[in-house]
Amino acid sequence: VIKDILKESPEATFDVEGHTSTDGGDESNLDLSARRAKRVYDDLTLQYGIDPAILSAHGHGESYAAYPGGSEAEKQLDRRVLLVRTK
């Protein structure tokens, strides 16, 4: 999908955002979310050949949890990585 977007918009850039549920502490969740984002970033650049110059990766921890204190099924939805177009 990224390559298709770049065909139409070669100036496009993207941020890989890692997220966690509210389980665990703030510091460990920030670390976990950063590692999740880095893993996807690495896969995109190394396995799929996406230019690293158009990507960034950040961990947000539990800052944007959609289901804070939710059920286990809802917490699973908060454990995610998003690819956000930034330009």
Side-chain angles (χ1 to χ4, degrees):
V1 172
I2 294 172
K3 289 180 179 181
D4 289 341
I5 291 171
L6 291 172
K7 287 177 188 172
E8 297 294 322
S9 303
E11 74 289 347
T13 58
F14 302 87
D15 187 35
V16 182
E17 295 183 349
H19 298 272
T20 66
S21 69
T22 54
D23 287 348
D26 291 343
E27 191 172 320
S28 64
N29 281 340
L30 278 173
D31 178 61
L32 175 59
S33 64
R35 286 186 286 126
R36 283 183 177 152
K38 177 74 166 106
R39 172 64 195 267
V40 171
Y41 173 93
D42 288 345
D43 283 350
L44 289 171
T45 58
L46 299 173
Q47 291 186 16
Y48 294 97
I50 302 299
D51 181 359
I54 69 159
L55 295 175
S56 59
H58 297 93
H60 294 285
E62 60 189 64
S63 297
Y64 300 104
Y67 304 99
S71 68
E72 186 56 37
E74 290 170 328
K75 289 178 186 178
Q76 284 291 332
L77 297 173
D78 280 334
R79 299 173 185 132
R80 67 200 187 277
V81 175
L82 303 175
L83 184 66
V84 178
R85 184 174 173 179
T86 55
K87 179 178 169 189

